[in-house]
Amino acid sequence: MLSIQFINKIVKIKIDRPLGSKHPEHKNITYEVNYGFIPDTIGGDNEEIDCYLLGVEYPVEEFEGKCIAVIKRLSENDDKLIVVPENQNCTDDEIEAKVRFQERYFEHAIIR
């Protein structure tokens, strides 16, 4: 399933790395936003499609929001959806600032 198909759609996500948690392998990375996936999907890396949840400043377990963009990692087939509460939006600069804690390690582009 192509990640760009989710842009401007409402999605239900499950958060497996809540705001403030540590990366399971790279303990030097602390999640500055909620991070999760869309259950029952398969992305380019043959795992469920990953999502950054922006605009929710407290840890959550599940969320329903709008996909406004996709982070396309250029060196691997592992896109990340950008999901926000339905009534919110973010500029590309705001997205870059909020996901920098992890995406700074990857060459990527924001697709809308």
Side-chain angles (χ1 to χ4, degrees):
M1 184 175 293
L2 295 175
S3 297
I4 59 172
Q5 294 174 341
F6 289 99
I7 295 175
N8 294 319
K9 300 236 173 25
I10 302 300
V11 295
K12 281 188 173 186
I13 61 176
K14 177 146 180 55
I15 303 299
D16 58 350
R17 299 179 195 171
L19 174 71
S21 65
K22 295 283 188 192
H23 190 284
E25 295 171 23
H26 308 285
K27 301 297 183 190
N28 63 321
I29 296 176
T30 300
Y31 281 84
E32 297 178 11
V33 299
N34 289 289
Y35 181 85
F37 59 93
I38 300 177
D40 304 318
T41 59
I42 298 292
D45 62 352
N46 290 320
E47 294 186 18
E48 290 165 310
I49 297 173
D50 296 319
C51 307
Y52 288 107
L53 174 58
L54 309 184
V56 177
E57 304 302 323
Y58 51 90
V60 296
E61 293 180 6
E62 296 180 331
F63 196 81
E64 184 171 300
K66 184 176 183 180
C67 175
I68 60 166
V70 173
I71 298 266
K72 176 80 175 156
R73 288 189 177 170
L74 303 178
S75 60
E76 55 185 65
N77 198 4
D78 190 16
D79 297 347
K80 313 291 182 188
L81 304 186
I82 303 297
V83 177
V84 298
E86 247 185 288
N87 60 346
Q88 291 186 21
N89 204 345
C90 294
T91 66
D92 287 358
D93 287 342
E94 289 170 327
I95 292 170
E96 287 286 357
K98 290 178 186 272
V99 302
R100 186 181 188 304
F101 73 94
Q102 181 163 257
E103 293 303 320
R104 68 180 173 216
Y105 302 109
F106 303 94
E107 188 177 354
H108 63 273
I110 296 176
I111 299 171
R112 293 207 183 234

